[in-house]
Amino acid sequence: MSARRRARELVLKALYASQTSDQNPEEVWQTLLEDAALPEKPLKFATELFKLVLNNEDQLDQEIAKHSQNWHISRLALIDKNIMRIAICELLYIPDVPSRVSLNEAIELAKTFSTPDSSAFVNGILNAVLKDHLHEIEG
């Protein structure tokens, strides 16, 4: 498994843990870093991604809600929301990650950490977000 994928998994775990506990997200992050064993570059990427998702959660959720036809965002599984938040964050705020990589990684995270149907759902939402922002992302 690539170091970047492990970095994304770490971000996903930290987001989920901080949202399902009373711990401060930064405390959760520091705790998970102790066992992460990531090289410097992927660790820097993971830290940046984690902070970007936390700081832009409202905008990321608006993107998800905008493209979730017939699904209110409150009904979505937390793990799926976090997977999509990570990918959308990469699409909008980390230009050095190719959009197809962000989408493929999100689909793999959904296959690993969510239900059998989640990867298709995540793929559909993320493709709609990508299409909506294509001129910004590839422009």
Side-chain angles (χ1 to χ4, degrees):
M1 175 185 323
S2 76
R4 277 259 175 125
R5 177 162 302 160
R6 288 187 5 244
R8 288 179 182 93
E9 286 185 4
L10 180 65
V11 171
L12 180 62
K13 290 173 184 178
L15 289 170
Y16 188 82
S18 67
Q19 293 161 346
T20 58
S21 73
D22 293 332
Q23 275 191 295
N24 175 302
E26 196 59 41
E27 291 173 6
V28 170
W29 183 248
Q30 291 304 319
T31 301
L32 290 175
L33 281 183
E34 293 172 10
D35 296 325
L38 282 173
E40 185 179 342
K41 277 182 86 171
L43 181 60
K44 184 177 177 185
F45 170 75
T47 302
E48 176 186 13
L49 184 57
F50 181 69
K51 290 178 180 179
L52 281 168
V53 171
L54 289 177
N55 293 333
N56 295 285
E57 190 173 308
D58 289 341
Q59 182 182 358
L60 300 171
D61 285 355
Q62 287 174 12
E63 290 292 332
I64 295 168
K66 179 179 174 183
H67 297 90
S68 301
Q69 297 176 348
N70 303 320
W71 281 91
H72 191 274
I73 193 160
S74 65
R75 292 181 56 208
L76 299 178
L78 183 57
I79 199 80
D80 293 343
K81 278 193 278 195
N82 282 325
I83 290 168
M84 290 185 282
R85 287 171 179 154
I86 290 168
I88 295 168
C89 192
E90 286 185 35
L91 290 171
L92 299 180
Y93 304 117
I94 306 179
D96 67 320
V97 177
S99 57
R100 286 288 146 207
V101 170
S102 296
L103 270 59
N104 288 338
E105 289 293 317
I107 292 164
E108 291 305 315
L109 286 172
K111 287 178 181 177
T112 301
F113 293 101
S114 197
T115 66
D117 296 330
S118 289
S119 61
F121 179 74
V122 165
N123 184 37
I125 299 295
L126 294 178
N127 273 309
V129 171
L130 177 61
K131 184 178 177 185
D132 201 28
H133 290 275
L134 198 55
H135 63 283
E136 299 164 30
I137 295 167
E138 294 183 358

